């Protein structure tokens, strides 16, 4: 259990605490926000991989298995990113 500094009053508090025991500033929102960003980043990468796969697919006269896997992987990653962002957004 790590001690962190409160963003409002700069006093030490437990990282697991829902709010600061000194000033009552909530600790949770920042965690949820950064989690959301992580999942959004995953969606972004999934889109990039999927688009790169489509470009590769078109350029290789539709005979590239790797590009098909990239499109497939990109689609899976995008759905996982969506589900993850939804699941942790509480
Ligand atoms: Zn505080």
């Amino acid at each position: 259990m790590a001690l962190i500094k409160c963003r409002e009053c700069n006093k030490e508090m437990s990282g697991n605490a829902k709010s600061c025991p000194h000033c009552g500033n909530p600790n949770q929102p920042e965690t949820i926000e950064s989690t959301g960003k992580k999942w959004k980043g995953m969606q972004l990468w999934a889109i990039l991989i999927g688009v790169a796969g489509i470009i590769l697919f078109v350029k290789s006269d539709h005979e590239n298995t790797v590009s098909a896997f990239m499109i497939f992987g990109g689609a899976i990653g995008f759905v996982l990113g969506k589900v993850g962002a939804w699941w942790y957004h509480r």
Side-chain angles (χ1 to χ4, degrees):
M1 186 154 72
L3 283 174
I4 58 161
K5 279 206 168 130
C6 172
R7 279 175 293 140
E8 279 300 313
C9 64
N10 257 354
K11 283 175 185 165
E12 282 192 333
M13 59 184 276
S14 163
N16 293 334
K18 281 198 174 74
S19 61
C20 172
H22 307 288
C23 68
N25 181 56
N27 180 30
Q28 289 301 86
E30 199 181 43
T31 318
I32 290 167
E33 211 174 279
S34 61
T35 309
K37 268 183 191 163
K38 193 180 83 180
W39 289 107
K40 277 171 192 163
M42 186 179 171
Q43 286 177 49
L44 195 70
W45 275 109
I47 290 168
L48 286 175
I49 292 168
V51 168
I54 290 166
I55 292 168
L56 212 67
F57 187 71
V58 171
K59 282 199 171 188
S60 64
D61 290 330
H62 304 187
E63 283 176 8
N64 196 322
T65 326
V66 178
S67 64
F69 271 109
M70 281 169 79
I71 296 165
F72 189 68
I76 296 275
F78 184 74
V79 170
L80 281 178
K82 277 267 183 218
V83 170
W86 165 79
W87 184 260
Y88 286 101
H89 191 77
R90 279 159 190 263

